[in-house]
Amino acid sequence: MEGTTTMKNTPPSPSPRYKYDMIILGASGFTGKYVVKEALKFVNNNNNNNTCFSSFAIAGRNVTKLTETLKWASYPNPIPIPNTTIPILIADTTNPSSLRRLCSQTKLILNCVGPFRLYGDPVVAACVQTGCDYLDICGEPEFMERTELNYHQKAMESGSLVISACGFDSIPAELGVMFNSRQWERPAVPNTVEAFLSLESDKKLVLNLGTFESAVLGVANVKELQKLRRSRPKRARPMIPGSPPRRPTIEHQKNIGLWAVKLPSADSIVVRRTLSILAENPHGLSGMNESAEWKKTRESFWSMHKPAHFGVKMGTKSVFGILRIIMMGVFLGILGSFSFGRWLLLKFPSVFTLGWFRKSGPTEKEVNSASFKMWFVGHGFSDSQQVQVKPNMEIVTRVMGPEVGYITTPIILLQCALTLLSQRENLPKGGVFPPGIVFGPTDLQQRLEANGISFDVISKRALSG
């Protein structure tokens, strides 16, 4: 099924080549509807700056659900909001021609259709074929790495910039480790930066079901990911002072008040991809038509970046919370390895995650009461010329914001979109990249800070031998 439905009002003025700045695909899904809600804050038909979209559309399979999404997202305002129009476009990930038609109308696709391992490839293919830029909220390592393998060269040729992990996975980790890195003033250098993630709520904590579904598929396909990595050439490794640290699987971080357990995380994989690309391109990636001023800004930014070993741990305020995380991990690891077990996990998510995930998703009150804190604990050396056996310096920074799946992720995705659209000439012509290597030198951090996500330095101190 292909077609277009438009909510009544004055249509936006189309650009010479594109009808829309962006199209949100999967707009009626759990996360997609919150992305639409966030996007409505930044619509301005008379846009003369880089903080608004001149026009955007939403897309999916079901016009009724998409219409309901617009009504829900605009509440309490009428539909459409004054002086704007939000077209509804019909497209299906099983229909490649509908996706190509979608991509030919816009500069940028925001893909919210997951799990991406099942539904993402046709969307990327359509973007690459048409030269359309692509952002998504994927946190699935296999999809991201396979996309790079299959489409990087084609995307470079067509001028399609393809960037995954533009939500809570993995922008806070990417920008957070860069923020921590910049606090190490020469001659000081970091050796390791560990992120400790704490999810908090005034009410019951309920997380995004799509995240759980992706995790289940990730366990099921771990051997395919390992096979994929073995088939590819070894990536460049950054030069990091000192030996790789040996950190405990479970630890008590007294200075931030958390018990923590090591977490298999897309964040660490994405950060390592950025560091690997940076090792090959020490000044970052050149923009397709970058200005001399931007080149200077880009090179200056990356000259201040100091690579470090990176990992992620899940933190809670009590040891009982750690036991809960471990129990959920055991269920996921055992049951996710065979088909009937995966059926049980997806059929009864609330049982096997001890209430953290449920099919109905969180209520509005649960979403609005939740928040996150991501602490970055960096250990390193006060003098890069005198690297010791053990680090003698610690810098702690923090990224903090609202609920991760339905508030923070849409905020991040929309600010990535605005950054890309407003600074496109200064970004790479095309290719498949992690977000950090593209957005690091831009003003994305400042945009996030203006929209409720904070970056703070907590402490700097010397460590005793």
Side-chain angles (χ1 to χ4, degrees):
M1 180 180 183
E2 301 176 36
T4 304
T5 299
T6 306
M7 306 305 291
K8 294 180 180 180
N9 212 308
T10 305
S13 300
S15 65
R17 181 178 172 186
Y18 302 105
K19 289 184 180 179
Y20 314 110
D21 283 340
M22 69 170 188
I23 295 174
I24 301 170
L25 180 62
S28 61
F30 271 127
T31 305
K33 67 179 186 179
Y34 282 92
V35 173
V36 175
K37 186 174 185 177
E38 184 69 15
L40 288 173
K41 300 176 184 178
F42 299 96
V43 178
N44 179 359
N45 277 339
N46 298 314
N47 176 33
N48 290 313
N49 56 52
N50 60 11
T51 60
C52 293
F53 304 105
S54 60
S55 63
F56 79 91
I58 66 173
R61 295 178 299 173
N62 189 307
V63 67
T64 301
K65 289 183 179 180
L66 291 168
T67 302
E68 291 172 354
T69 291
L70 277 178
K71 291 179 180 178
W72 174 87
S74 66
Y75 182 82
N77 297 317
I79 282 288
I81 57 180
N83 302 318
T84 66
T85 180
I86 310 298
I88 295 175
L89 311 178
I90 306 305
D92 193 325
T93 58
T94 64
N95 186 334
S97 64
S98 73
L99 294 175
R100 288 193 296 270
R101 181 172 289 110
L102 200 70
C103 294
S104 67
Q105 299 179 69
T106 186
K107 302 173 185 176
L108 173 64
I109 291 287
L110 303 188
N111 187 14
C112 302
V113 183
F116 292 87
R117 185 183 186 277
L118 300 180
Y119 307 112
D121 187 86
V123 185
V124 174
C127 286
V128 170
Q129 289 169 15
T130 57
C132 175
D133 291 334
Y134 170 98
L135 302 179
D136 70 31
I137 52 175
C138 174
E140 303 167 35
E142 187 201 358
F143 172 78
M144 290 186 277
E145 294 183 35
R146 198 172 294 280
T147 296
E148 182 182 23
L149 175 64
N150 293 338
Y151 294 105
H152 179 66
Q153 187 60 41
K154 296 175 183 176
M156 289 181 67
E157 294 168 358
S158 71
S160 172
L161 189 53
V162 177
I163 311 172
S164 286
C166 294
F168 182 74
D169 288 327
S170 294
I171 294 291
E174 288 260 69
L175 296 189
V177 76
M178 291 178 192
F179 180 72
N180 187 282
S181 173
R182 293 198 298 277
Q183 311 313 313
W184 294 81
E185 298 178 9
R186 287 185 172 88
V189 289
N191 168 261
T192 179
V193 177
E194 280 194 294
F196 295 84
L197 173 60
S198 174
L199 303 178
E200 303 175 3
S201 178
D202 296 333
K203 300 185 181 294
K204 185 177 180 179
L205 184 64
V206 180
L207 303 174
N208 187 318
L209 183 62
T211 300
F212 182 66
E213 292 174 342
S214 296
V216 172
L217 287 173
V219 172
N221 296 285
V222 66
K223 291 183 179 179
E224 290 187 28
L225 178 57
Q226 293 169 348
K227 182 179 178 181
L228 173 64
R229 288 174 176 170
R230 286 194 298 267
S231 70
R232 304 193 67 188
K234 295 290 185 180
R235 307 199 72 136
R237 293 188 177 184
M239 298 294 292
I240 300 172
S243 302
R246 292 186 177 182
R247 304 292 297 176
T249 301
I250 299 174
E251 64 179 299
H252 186 204
Q253 276 281 336
K254 294 181 181 180
N255 56 340
I256 57 176
L258 293 177
W259 286 87
V261 59
K262 190 174 181 179
L263 182 71
S265 168
D267 286 345
S268 57
I269 294 168
V270 171
V271 168
R272 285 197 292 268
R273 285 178 65 210
T274 288
L275 290 177
S276 178
I277 296 171
L278 188 60
E280 298 168 346
N281 304 271
H283 300 298
L285 301 176
S286 300
M288 59 179 179
N289 290 306
E290 67 181 2
S291 64
E293 182 181 3
W294 172 255
K295 181 181 179 182
K296 184 177 179 180
T297 297
R298 169 174 57 80
E299 293 180 349
S300 174
F301 177 87
W302 290 120
S303 72
M304 294 186 293
H305 186 72
K306 305 159 196 73
H309 301 287
F310 180 72
V312 180
K313 290 184 176 178
M314 189 74 179
T316 72
K317 294 180 179 179
S318 73
V319 70
F320 299 105
I322 292 298
L323 294 175
R324 186 180 182 186
I325 294 169
I326 292 173
M327 287 179 64
M328 187 178 77
V330 169
F331 284 138
L332 190 61
I334 294 175
L335 296 178
S337 62
F338 59 96
S339 59
F340 180 66
R342 292 191 291 275
W343 179 85
L344 286 174
L345 288 170
L346 297 175
K347 182 71 174 178
F348 306 105
S350 184
V351 173
F352 293 106
T353 65
L354 308 178
W356 272 340
F357 297 91
R358 62 173 181 239
K359 285 191 171 182
S360 60
T363 65
E364 285 291 305
K365 289 184 178 179
E366 289 168 339
V367 168
N368 292 328
S369 68
S371 62
F372 80 91
K373 293 176 183 173
M374 201 168 192
W375 307 81
F376 295 81
V377 180
H379 289 152
F381 308 99
S382 57
D383 189 340
S384 61
Q385 302 302 315
Q386 299 179 16
V387 174
Q388 304 167 23
V389 176
K390 290 185 178 181
N392 64 356
M393 187 174 176
E394 178 188 85
I395 296 180
V396 179
T397 56
R398 184 184 64 199
V399 179
M400 185 170 62
E403 189 275 340
V404 296
Y406 301 104
I407 301 181
T408 288
T409 286
I411 288 172
I412 293 173
L413 181 62
L414 265 297
Q415 293 309 314
C416 284
L418 284 164
T419 302
L420 187 151
L421 290 168
S422 64
Q423 302 180 39
R424 187 63 181 91
E425 295 293 298
N426 291 327
L427 304 182
K429 175 186 174 183
V432 179
F433 299 107
I437 195 67
V438 176
F439 292 121
T442 70
D443 61 350
L444 179 58
Q445 180 184 319
Q446 290 75 22
R447 289 172 179 268
L448 296 181
E449 289 177 307
N451 285 275
I453 298 172
S454 63
F455 292 73
D456 302 295
V457 177
I458 303 302
S459 65
K460 297 183 180 182
R461 67 186 180 105
L463 298 176
S464 60

